[in-house]
Amino acid sequence: MIHFDTTQSPLFHVTVKGDIDREDIRDFYRKFKPALDEAGRVGLVVDMTGFGDISAGAALEDVIEELSLLDDLKKMPRAALITGNRTLAGMVRYINPVVPRMELRAFAPEEISTAAQWAADLPEKKPHRPGLTVIDSGHPDVLAFELDGYMDDDDMEVIVRPFRERIDRGGKFNALARLKHFAGFDPEILFDRALLVMKWDAIRVLHRYAVVTDHQWVRPFVGFARMVSHVDVRIFPMSEEQAAWDWVKEPVPQAL
């Protein structure tokens, strides 16, 4: 059973109990979507302390519905999950950095009042600004950019254009990414053909890639990049940014 309460404005309270089937999911979203459209902007509390299990069909239905709400995540800037399950709480902490325009946080069952207060305290709307900006490296063989916020598909042109121009000039080069704050990305980026082609071509000509950040969740992705490419990728903490610049500005070996 999924109980949906909209009486605690500006808060939606969802209580999940027992085993969930596909019809439970469909019934919930039939109520949830129009309520969200009407409310405009709310906090979300999902109480899963009484959750039992979910059928495969219901899980698939839920994923499909959640994907359809990606453009509406900005209407729910804070979402609190109430659970005593450490695995679920850990998943929330792990995926929080990559969920666009929504901050996720897990709370223990005895913290439900604190969770509701946190979710209902909606942050002020921020003016839109590009999440990606190019950094002038001052070096012909170093491309650099900064990520600070949400990436939409229009922002990607900021990166694709200079990388494409440098790739087309030939020869190897280095890159540096300063990751200050990642607030998610527009899913359309995953299907951006120009970006995908550029990344594939860049893998073959990049020599060194420095990632400057204090975010620990980046490490698994960097580890994967090392396994699938010959690019020398290293993470530098923000306090060692100058060391990262020195590293990528070292002479790039070129094929004879």
Side-chain angles (χ1 to χ4, degrees), residues 164-239:
R164 184 74 268 167
E165 291 174 353
R166 181 60 187 82
I167 292 168
D168 291 344
R169 287 210 318 265
K172 290 185 174 292
F173 63 96
N174 296 333
L176 180 144
R178 182 196 295 146
L179 200 166
K180 296 176 68 175
H181 172 60
F182 179 43
F185 63 93
D186 187 330
E188 290 185 16
I189 290 173
L190 298 174
F191 308 101
D192 187 316
R193 186 176 182 279
L195 176 62
L196 292 173
V197 172
M198 183 275 286
K199 283 185 174 181
W200 178 256
D201 290 343
I203 287 174
R204 294 185 285 110
V205 293
L206 264 178
H207 175 57
R208 289 179 173 177
Y209 187 13
V211 181
V212 182
T213 185
D214 289 331
H215 295 289
Q216 296 301 309
W217 60 267
V218 175
R219 293 188 177 277
F221 296 96
V222 169
F224 178 75
R226 288 173 179 151
M227 289 190 298
V228 300
S229 75
H230 296 294
V231 182
D232 189 358
V233 187
R234 296 187 189 178
I235 298 178
F236 295 80
M238 297 295 286
S239 61

Side-chain angles (χ1 to χ4, degrees), residues 8-36:
Q8 305 175 47
S9 179
L11 195 67
F12 282 0
H13 198 116
V14 181
T15 305
V16 184
K17 289 186 176 181
D19 295 342
I20 306 300
D21 60 25
R22 179 173 287 183
E23 191 52 41
D24 290 325
I25 296 295
R26 288 175 174 172
D27 183 60
F28 167 69
Y29 282 103
R30 277 195 291 264
K31 300 173 184 176
F32 183 81
K33 289 182 176 180
L36 181 60

Side-chain angles (χ1 to χ4, degrees), residues 47 49 81-85 89 105-115:
D47 186 349
T49 54
L81 177 70
I82 313 299
T83 180
N85 186 305
R105 189 176 295 183
F107 294 83
E110 62 271 18
E111 298 176 313
I112 189 166
S113 296
T114 303

